[in-house]
Amino acid sequence: MRNVKLMLVGLLLTIMSGCGAPDAELVVYSARNEPLIKPMFDRFTEETGIKVVFVTDKAEVLMQRLQAEDSNTPADVLLTVDAGNLWWATQNDLLQPLESAVLTENIPEYLRDPEDRWFGLSVRARTIVYSPERADARMLSSYEGLADPMWRGRLCLRTSKKVYNQSLVAMLIAEHGEAKTEQIVKGWVANLAADVFANDTAVIEAIAAGQCDVGIVNTYYFGRLERDNPALPVKIFWANQGSGGVHVNVSGGGVVRDSRHVENATRLLEWLSAGEAQSMFASSNLEFPANPAIAADPAVAAWGQFEASRLSLARAGELQSAAVRLMDRAGYR
Ligand code: FE
């Protein structure tokens, strides 16, 4: 009888260890790529002794994988970019609510899920860039202002298929309602100098090359090009100062619903929300720290202070499908 019991315990342990990582190991699914995350995980392991195994892929692929694996998933933490993706993860019940005084203290309320299932870990600003040679900064004001006929044939935009633009338009809907936002987006489309671009870097390069005079991009793409070419003939303009603020978004993460290592997984997110990790997280990709106590990278700080929109990012997710339909109606491809 005792032998049978021992066998059962052994069998149970085998099954349990087969289901996920050992206790001092975490499995992270990350839409952020290896050069960005590996140095941070290495430091976390040095400090805590907790090993981190990670898989990187596109956000959609990782979230589909979590759905397919369901309660058998080996994953403990999901890291991705854009509140739209994080919202999708919560809508599909992929993450669990966390009770962490450290996270609620470090991450401002508008940069996290209202039910604390995800937390922003770095902030990205999506604002206006322009050619100082061909566009007068005094004529620039806001995202809405780029719909003005004065920009006819002068605007470059990235495709509406990218979640960054879906979140931007979702936030415009949150502020103005659908009818007014549709007029704005139609104005943008009427002002396009070229077909929409596949990525933000191509938009900045088109402005540098003289193909257009203004565009909307995430500032870290500008930062990368500026780092490679300090004489880049493109400048940043902080949009909507005094009228709602610059549209900001996050990269962030949460603990997977069926994680078997909730305590350590929470510890990893807490560690990422503080001190050294915040500096690394923001600086490695020229983003802004999500924790307001941490200073930005000097190259980023050199772009100047700006007022950021304080609309809760969860709204971007809620209004995402409305934004996609609206952009389609407005002819924004
Ligand atoms: Fe990006």
Side-chain angles (χ1 to χ4, degrees):
M1 189 62 197
R2 193 158 167 263
N3 277 346
V4 172
K5 237 184 186 170
L6 275 177
M7 261 174 62
L8 281 175
V9 170
L11 191 66
L12 198 66
L13 281 174
T14 313
I15 292 167
M16 279 168 69
S17 63
C19 287
D23 280 349
E25 191 170 299
L26 286 172
V27 176
V28 178
Y29 285 4
S30 173
R32 310 225 69 184
N33 57 25
E34 175 161 349
L36 285 177
I37 55 169
K38 189 166 184 305
M40 285 186 287
F41 293 162
D42 288 346
R43 287 288 300 125
F44 174 74
T45 303
E46 270 173 50
E47 278 187 28
T48 63
I50 301 166
K51 285 206 191 84
V52 180
V53 179
F54 60 88
V55 176
T56 62
D57 212 321
K58 285 183 187 306
E60 304 80 61
V61 175
L62 294 174
M63 294 194 294
Q64 275 162 18
R65 185 164 163 180
L66 284 175
Q67 272 187 312
E69 290 169 345
D70 201 31
S71 58
N72 293 319
T73 186
D76 299 299
V77 171
L78 173 70
L79 293 180
T80 185
V81 297
D82 208 283
N85 288 330
L86 292 161
W87 179 84
W88 196 93
T90 59
Q91 283 309 101
N92 289 279
D93 195 24
L94 302 180
L95 303 175
Q96 59 172 290
L98 297 184
E99 269 178 52
S100 161
V102 175
L103 283 167
T104 47
E105 159 106 27
N106 287 347
I107 307 300
E109 205 170 349
Y110 77 104
L111 299 178
R112 53 180 151 95
D113 174 45
E115 293 173 44
D116 289 334
R117 291 163 298 182
W118 56 259
F119 296 82
L121 295 170
S122 68
V123 174
R124 45 266 307 281
R126 192 160 187 78
T127 194
I128 297 171
V129 281
Y130 68 103
S131 157
E133 289 150 26
R134 297 183 307 280
D136 185 343
R138 288 170 303 184
M139 296 294 121
L140 291 166
S141 58
S142 61
Y143 310 105
E144 295 87 337
L146 294 180
D148 189 285
M150 89 165 99
W151 300 109
R152 192 66 34 99
R154 302 172 69 189
L155 175 66
C156 280
L157 291 178
R158 183 181 189 157
T159 169
S160 66
K161 307 290 179 285
K162 182 68 188 182
V163 68
Y164 301 164
N165 284 329
Q166 295 166 4
S167 290
L168 171 65
V169 170
M171 294 308 254
L172 289 174
I173 294 173
E175 203 157 320
H176 301 299
E178 290 212 21
K180 186 173 172 197
T181 303
E182 191 167 335
Q183 288 313 308
I184 295 163
V185 175
K186 277 184 176 158
W188 291 350
V189 172
N191 288 342
L192 287 180
D195 272 349
V196 292
F197 291 82
N199 58 62
D200 285 8
T201 300
V203 169
I204 301 165
E205 283 170 343
I207 297 172
Q211 199 178 355
C212 38
D213 301 341
V214 286
I216 299 173
V217 300
N218 284 2
T219 54
Y220 55 88
Y221 293 108
F222 174 85
R224 285 180 206 167
L225 291 178
E226 188 189 49
R227 190 172 50 194
D228 296 343
N229 172 20
L232 185 74
V234 179
K235 281 191 154 177
I236 283 181
F237 179 87
W238 294 122
N240 296 57
Q241 299 303 283
S243 65
V246 172
H247 170 62
V248 291
N249 209 312
V250 289
S251 81
V255 173
V256 172
R257 187 194 64 218
D258 293 305
S259 164
R260 289 167 184 83
H261 310 99
V262 175
E263 206 175 303
N264 283 347
T266 306
R267 204 163 156 202
L268 174 62
L269 288 181
E270 289 174 347
W271 189 84
L272 290 173
S273 76
E276 181 190 354
Q278 275 292 292
S279 301
M280 289 172 82
F281 218 105
S283 298
S284 56
N285 194 39
L286 299 173
E287 294 177 59
F288 300 88
N291 181 337
I294 308 299
D297 185 274
V300 171
W303 300 333
Q305 297 279 329
F306 64 93
E307 179 203 333
S309 167
R310 293 297 167 115
L311 282 174
S312 169
L313 280 176
R315 290 290 282 152
E318 288 161 23
L319 291 165
Q320 192 180 48
S321 53
V324 170
R325 288 193 302 270
L326 185 150
M327 291 191 283
D328 190 51
R329 289 199 301 276
Y332 180 6
R333 299 294 165 229

